[in-house]
Amino acid sequence: GAGVSQSPSNKVTEKGKDVELRCDPISGHTALYWYRQRLGQGLEFLIYFQGNSAPDKSGLPSDRFSAERTGESVSTLTIQRTQQEDSAVYLCASSLNPSGNAGELFFGEGSRLTVL
Amino acid sequence: SQKIEQNSEALNIQEGKTATLTCNYTNYSPAYLQWYRQDPGRGPVFLLLIRENEKEKRKERLKVTFDTTLKQSLFHITASQPADSATYLCALLMDTGRRALTFGSGTRLQVQP
């Protein structure tokens, strides 16, 4: 597709369950980002992948959160043992150039996670 | 510590007027700053990039200024329209070693017809 694709668009889960969120970046984009946005709040950085470099995981809030990316393709964000505080929209973005080169970010529409 | 600050209160203006939004940052000199627009339930959309050696950048009805002495960027929308109503976010690369953009919390703009 032409844009960043995220799935599922909506996910309702029970506290304690694991969830996986998927992001398909724009083809050819070397950089991929995950952000979290709680209701009425700003974007909170989670993790950044750039090519084959080690990912920047400095934003992950706890060890229940992890993410993978294979090469320059799909990324999966996994949240284990979900808590109600994890309820938010999880936004994925990709860019052609890394942040150091002022690359503009293209965002997906987000995955809305609700933990009951 | 380094911070990005945007006015959290919504800005309400009349159609046709110029909207001015502010992004302040502290303890840092970023190489560039970006502005994004976010509509409810949607992902942010890139609008403009301004670099540290540029004082002003324009795109159609949009104008961004970057004052590295004041540590401030102003985002202007001239001849505003109700369709401009959205939340506007500034973003920059902090000097913390983090390699991804940090976003401000955004300012919601409401243009009244």
Side-chain angles (χ1 to χ4, degrees):
Chain A
V4 176
S5 177
Q6 291 188 248
S7 62
S9 54
N10 271 290
K11 175 73 176 178
V12 180
T13 191
E14 292 180 348
K15 179 180 170 182
K17 301 278 190 187
D18 296 352
V19 296
E20 275 191 2
L21 307 176
R22 176 187 168 108
C23 173
D24 278 277
I26 294 172
S27 178
H29 279 196
T30 61
L32 187 147
Y33 312 73
W34 284 97
Y35 289 88
R36 177 171 71 180
Q37 188 171 34
R38 293 195 168 107
L39 189 63
Q41 306 289 314
L43 274 67
E44 178 187 358
F45 167 73
L46 296 177
I47 189 167
Y48 166 63
F49 295 92
Q50 171 55 45
N52 294 321
S53 303
D56 181 346
K57 303 180 182 180
S58 60
L60 294 178
S62 77
D63 59 8
R64 296 187 295 105
F65 288 72
S66 63
E68 292 183 352
R69 186 184 188 196
T70 305
E72 294 182 357
S73 62
V74 170
S75 175
T76 303
L77 176 69
T78 302
I79 309 173
Q80 296 179 309
R81 306 182 302 282
T82 52
Q83 306 291 313
Q84 288 182 332
E85 69 212 39
D86 300 334
S87 296
V89 175
Y90 288 82
L91 289 161
C92 175
S94 69
S95 68
L96 184 61
N97 295 313
S99 294
N101 290 343
E104 97 183 54
L105 272 60
F106 294 82
F107 281 87
E109 299 290 37
S111 291
R112 180 177 298 278
L113 174 65
T114 303
V115 182
L116 301 177
Chain B
S1 62
Q2 296 176 5
K3 288 187 205 175
I4 306 174
E5 294 175 341
Q6 293 187 258
N7 194 340
S8 59
E9 292 193 15
L11 177 64
N12 290 288
I13 63 167
Q14 285 296 122
E15 182 176 6
K17 300 291 187 186
T18 296
T20 298
L21 307 173
T22 305
C23 176
N24 294 302
Y25 55 93
T26 61
N27 300 333
Y28 179 58
S29 296
Y32 65 87
L33 189 145
Q34 297 184 357
W35 283 90
Y36 289 76
R37 167 183 173 142
Q38 186 175 26
D39 290 283
R42 310 295 298 273
V45 174
F46 171 81
L47 295 174
L48 279 168
L49 158 74
I50 187 163
R51 297 184 185 272
E52 61 180 339
N53 60 347
E54 297 173 315
K55 292 236 184 290
E56 183 179 295
K57 183 75 78 71
R58 291 176 186 261
K59 179 182 175 183
E60 298 172 352
R61 293 184 296 111
L62 308 180
K63 183 179 86 171
V64 171
T65 61
F66 196 9
D67 189 325
T68 54
T69 301
L70 290 179
K71 296 190 183 299
Q72 180 181 81
S73 175
L74 298 179
F75 177 82
H76 306 273
I77 306 176
T78 58
S80 60
Q81 304 166 0
D84 296 326
S85 299
T87 296
Y88 292 87
L89 306 158
C90 63
L92 49 84
L93 205 60
M94 304 292 268
D95 190 22
T96 57
R98 175 170 291 173
R99 292 179 279 137
L101 287 176
T102 297
F103 283 79
S105 56
T107 299
R108 189 163 62 86
L109 171 67
Q110 187 70 39
V111 181
Q112 307 290 346

